[in-house]
Amino acid sequence: ASGLGGRPATLVHGDYHPGQRLRREDDVVMLDFDRAHAGDPAEDLGNMAAHLSEGRGVANGGFGGDAAALLDGYTASRLERGHLGFWTALGLLMRAPAPFRSLSPDWPAETRRLLDAGQEVLA
C-alpha cells in the first residue's frame, strides 16, 4: 500500500496532537489509537502542526514556534515540507469546530481564522 504521493504507507496514529502523548521519565507514551491506520506519515505531522500553530503563522509554510521545531526535525530526515501542506490544511480545517465546542466567547472569529489559515496553506 502507498500513502499520498506514492510514498510507502506506514502506521499512522490518525489523531496525533499534544493531548495524545504522555511523558513518562525518559519515555513518551502514545494514547488513543482508535483512528490508527496504514497511510502517509505526513498526516500525523500535519495534524500536529495544525494543533501546535492553531492556525497562527502557517500561511505559505511559515510555521513558527513548536510547529517549526517539529517540522524541521522531520523534514531534515525524510519529508519535504511542501508535502505537509495538504495534511496541515486538513488538520486546520478539522480544528475549525474546536472554538465552538469549547464555548470560546469569540468562536466565530476563531473558527474563521482556522478556516482562512487552512485555505492559505493550500494557496
Side-chain angles (χ1 to χ4, degrees):
S2 66
L4 185 69
R7 288 177 172 76
T10 186
L11 179 63
V12 174
H13 183 276
D15 189 24
Y16 187 55
H17 61 79
Q20 299 289 25
R21 58 191 182 162
L22 294 174
R23 294 184 74 100
R24 182 179 66 182
E25 296 177 23
D26 293 333
D27 286 343
V28 175
V29 177
M30 299 299 299
L31 305 172
D32 196 13
F33 287 91
D34 62 321
R35 294 186 188 173
H37 60 278
D40 189 333
E43 177 182 347
D44 282 340
L45 295 174
N47 192 53
M48 178 65 86
H51 276 77
L52 291 173
S53 69
E54 284 292 314
R56 294 179 177 86
V58 299
N60 302 317
F63 295 90
D66 292 337
L70 171 75
L71 297 177
D72 285 345
Y74 278 92
T75 57
S77 64
R78 58 185 144 140
L79 293 172
E80 297 173 18
R81 190 177 284 242
H83 176 67
L84 296 173
F86 169 80
W87 294 111
T88 302
L90 182 60
L92 288 163
L93 295 175
M94 291 176 66
R95 297 277 311 133
F100 176 77
R101 286 196 319 250
S102 65
L103 303 175
S104 173
D106 197 22
W107 70 265
E110 291 177 38
T111 299
R112 171 55 48 202
R113 183 181 46 74
L114 289 164
L115 293 172
D116 289 347
Q119 186 175 6
E120 287 179 38
V121 168
L122 294 174

